[in-house]
């Protein structure tokens, strides 16, 4: 599972997060193209490489051309709702705006629909929030961790006058989150940054066990006595951090095409390309189409961020001229790959867990085949032997079989 760790040693704001995502490999042009789906043309977006205490980072500037516009939550819901963004990006962006609105409403002692969002309703907050959601989606990040958050201290100038740091809405949003202040004067964590990080992250602490793949530094505007950067680390989460406590929920897409005129020899290559590009599953079923034509129903399961690639492969490598896409919800048991020693040789076994107990043990087919070829034993005997050895191994661990 792809995970991200946000190192908030200098706080977090919407533009710092956007900068960190771009610095970690989010394609800036693609981000601009995705944001163009918003039907908001009163802004310009710039990317700039800057140095903060000798560390190079990416600063994103949202230059508003619209002046100071007050928007209500319903205005923002309409902008995001009618946009050309994918449904999960819309949903997460709206969740973040609602959290922000609720926090502001509580601070001002008013109703969420009375809040006209002030600074946070301005175009830069929309770009920061929707841009960050696009970034996590495009980079395929499924789980987010963060450090305790350095919030800064002192006072900050806002529309109504001076506000204590952390700003009231920031502090409200960070309820339940470990925060701290040191000697650094100024506002390090903003309401937008706090709303985004708390919408994605439940775990605030040291680095989780991840295999580091990409690192990004997002720069803040001010020069501070510490590097004004948000550090984003992206990597594959190690097995034990997947958690053996229960069932994970996930979202994915199912792509379907009906094909009645393709050389069957091409399917093998098609499967290979789809799996190589990151498909989670690919399968075909025979169907009977109109005019009694025998045909094939090809199904591809893919993470959201791989949609464009899958679509391109399907149009390029099959004879179809159309495809169907459905969002799906997935429930997945956490699992581990164990290695067991048998009389025939060593083999891997996939063990799935539920409520702290091993509930399914599946020997890896490739290993069973290898051992069957090597020893001449029937594959089914090898399969059973591996399963038995895995059960014995599990009895001696804290995760016994049911
Ligand atoms: O103008 C208002 S009402 C206002 C309220 C608050 C509260 O915390 S309440 C905070 N602010 C400040 O606005 C800027 C912009 O924040 P972004 O999250 O959009 O970057 C920031 O300095 C807040 O502290 C304004
Ligand atoms: Ni206000």
């Amino acid at each position: 599972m792809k995970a991200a760790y946000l190192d908030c040693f200098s706080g977090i704001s919407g533009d710092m997060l956007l900068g960190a995502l771009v610095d970690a490999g989010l394609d800036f042009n693609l981000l601009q193209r995705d944001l163009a789906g918003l039907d908001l043309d009163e802004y310009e977006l710039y990317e700039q490489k800057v140095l903060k205490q000798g560390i190079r980072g990416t600063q994103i500037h949202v230059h508003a051309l619209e002046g100071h516009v007050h928007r209500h939550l319903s205005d923002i819901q309409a902008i995001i709702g009618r946009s050309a963004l994918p449904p999960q990006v819309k949903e997460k962006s709206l969740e973040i705006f609602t959290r922000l609105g609720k926090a502001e409403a509580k601070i001002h002692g008013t109703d969420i629909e009375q809040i006209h969002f002030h600074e946070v309703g301005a175009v830069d907050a929309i770009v920061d929030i929707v841009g960050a959601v696009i970034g996590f989606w495009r980079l395929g990040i499924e789980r987010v961790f963060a450090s305790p958050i350095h919030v800064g201290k002192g006072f900050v100038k806002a529309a109504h006058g001076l506000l204590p740091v952390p700003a009231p809405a920031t502090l409200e949003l960070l309820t339940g989150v470990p925060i701290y202040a040191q000697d650094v004067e100024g506002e390090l964590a903003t309401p937008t940054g706090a709303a985004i990080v708390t919408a994605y992250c439940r775990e605030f602490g040291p680095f989780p066990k991840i295999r580091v793949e990409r690192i990004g530094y997002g720069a803040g505007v001010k020069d501070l006595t510490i590097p004004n950067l948000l550090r984003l680390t992206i990597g594959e989460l190690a097995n034990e951090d997947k958690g053996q406590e229960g069932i994970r929920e996930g979202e994915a897409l199912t792509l379907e095409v009906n094909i009645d005129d393709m050389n069957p020899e091409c399917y093998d290559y098609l499967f290979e390309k789809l799996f190589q590009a990151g498909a989670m599953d690919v399968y075909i079923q025979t169907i009977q189409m109109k005019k009694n034509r025998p045909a094939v129903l090809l199904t591809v399961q893919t993470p959201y961020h791989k949609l464009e690639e899958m679509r391109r492969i399907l149009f390029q490598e099959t004879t179809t001229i159309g495809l169907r896409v459905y969002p799906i919800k997935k429930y997945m048991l956490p699992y581990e790959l164990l290695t067991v020693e048998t009389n025939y040789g060593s083999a891997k076994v996939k063990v799935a867990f539920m409520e702290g107990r091993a509930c399914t043990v599946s020997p890896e087919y490739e290993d069973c085949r290898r051992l069957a070829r090597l020893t001449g034993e029937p594959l089914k005997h090898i399969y059973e032997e591996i399963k038995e050895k895995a059960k014995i191994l599990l009895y001696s661990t804290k995760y016994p079989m049911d």
Side-chain angles (χ1 to χ4, degrees):
M1 185 201 294
K2 200 67 70 204
Y5 181 71
L6 291 163
D7 219 338
C8 307
F9 53 79
S10 205
I12 183 165
S13 65
D15 53 345
M16 283 166 91
L17 179 54
L18 216 43
L21 287 160
V22 170
D23 208 56
L26 170 65
D27 184 329
F28 184 66
N29 294 324
L30 187 60
L31 171 68
Q32 281 189 303
R33 248 190 292 147
D34 284 337
L35 283 169
L38 266 176
D39 191 23
L40 262 189
D41 48 11
E42 331 89 51
Y43 73 94
E44 281 165 2
L45 206 60
Y46 301 104
E47 175 196 15
Q48 191 188 1
K49 300 293 174 200
V50 295
L51 277 180
K52 296 281 178 185
Q53 266 88 333
I55 305 169
R56 204 181 84 131
T58 300
Q59 197 161 48
I60 298 291
H61 300 275
V62 186
H63 178 59
L65 308 169
E66 60 170 2
H68 195 82
V69 176
H70 283 177
R71 288 192 175 95
H72 293 269
L73 184 62
S74 52
D75 300 319
I76 289 162
Q77 281 168 335
I79 293 170
I80 294 172
R82 65 168 182 260
S83 72
L85 295 164
Q88 76 278 21
V89 172
K90 290 185 186 183
E91 202 178 301
K92 196 75 188 172
S93 307
L94 286 170
E95 177 197 325
I96 296 170
F97 263 107
T98 309
R99 289 168 54 72
L100 201 52
K102 275 189 184 156
E104 269 248 7
K106 186 169 175 196
I107 298 304
H108 293 303
T110 180
D111 187 70
I112 186 163
E113 206 24 58
Q114 301 308 311
I115 290 291
H116 48 88
F117 277 94
H118 297 269
E119 283 98 322
V120 292
V123 71
D124 57 338
I126 301 177
V127 171
D128 283 348
I129 289 173
V130 178
V133 177
I134 289 170
F136 283 127
W137 162 60
R138 284 286 185 195
L139 294 176
I141 293 165
E142 296 170 86
R143 194 159 159 198
V144 180
F145 299 82
S147 68
I149 297 175
H150 191 176
V151 288
K153 64 175 190 167
F155 288 86
V156 63
K157 206 158 183 268
H160 301 297
L162 285 181
L163 295 173
V165 170
T170 308
L171 193 58
E172 180 62 32
L173 285 157
L174 293 177
T175 304
V177 174
I179 63 168
Y180 64 95
Q182 286 175 337
D183 296 336
V184 186
E185 279 284 331
E187 183 184 39
L188 304 184
T190 64
T192 306
I196 302 172
V197 71
T198 52
Y200 276 100
C201 176
R202 299 274 170 276
E203 291 137 296
F204 294 84
F207 261 105
K209 213 174 255 180
I210 55 175
R211 191 174 298 279
V212 178
E213 287 168 9
R214 294 165 175 217
I215 302 161
Y217 290 89
V221 177
K222 287 173 275 184
D223 282 321
L224 307 170
T225 50
I226 56 171
N228 191 6
L229 295 165
L230 171 68
R231 182 164 63 180
L232 170 66
T233 305
I234 301 172
E236 195 59 30
L237 202 58
N239 263 348
E240 54 263 55
D241 279 315
K242 280 179 180 159
Q244 282 158 337
E245 70 287 346
I247 299 166
R248 281 198 297 120
E249 272 187 48
E251 285 166 1
L253 292 173
T254 289
L255 276 57
E256 277 183 9
V257 289
N258 294 357
I259 304 172
D260 63 358
D261 57 353
M262 193 164 104
N263 180 347
E265 284 179 334
C266 301
Y267 285 104
D268 187 41
Y269 181 66
L270 171 68
F271 273 45
E272 193 184 298
K273 286 213 85 165
L274 290 164
F275 277 123
Q276 264 171 10
M280 297 148 93
D281 206 355
V282 184
Y283 51 92
I284 50 179
Q285 298 164 73
T286 50
I287 53 170
Q288 201 75 15
M289 281 179 45
K290 61 186 175 212
K291 298 181 189 163
N292 264 329
R293 281 190 206 141
V296 157
L297 165 61
L298 170 74
T299 308
V300 181
Q301 250 186 45
T302 174
Y304 270 86
H305 67 284
K306 294 277 180 185
L307 172 63
E308 281 164 21
E309 221 169 322
M310 297 297 153
R311 203 169 53 192
R312 193 179 46 76
I313 295 171
L314 288 172
F315 284 137
Q316 214 164 53
E317 299 294 340
T318 76
T319 50
T320 192
I321 55 168
L323 58 83
R324 301 177 292 277
V325 182
Y326 311 99
I328 53 166
K329 190 146 195 125
K330 287 169 64 94
Y331 294 100
M332 293 154 290
L333 290 177
Y335 68 86
E336 268 184 29
L337 267 185
L338 303 182
T339 302
V340 294
E341 296 302 328
T342 73
N343 295 333
Y344 308 112
S346 68
K348 288 198 210 58
V349 193
K350 195 178 273 176
V351 182
F353 300 91
M354 190 165 69
E355 291 159 7
R357 296 180 73 81
C359 77
T360 303
V361 174
S362 316
E364 289 286 278
Y365 165 71
E366 294 296 343
D367 282 359
C368 297
R369 183 170 66 173
R370 176 178 51 81
L371 294 180
R373 278 181 178 155
L374 198 73
T375 61
E377 271 296 310
L379 196 140
K380 62 185 180 187
H381 291 174
I382 291 182
Y383 189 91
E384 288 308 322
E385 161 94 2
I386 296 172
K387 217 168 158 173
E388 273 316 303
K389 286 281 161 32
K391 284 184 185 174
I392 293 167
L393 185 69
L394 285 164
Y395 276 122
S396 62
T397 69
K398 56 185 174 145
Y399 301 114
M401 280 292 291
D402 277 329

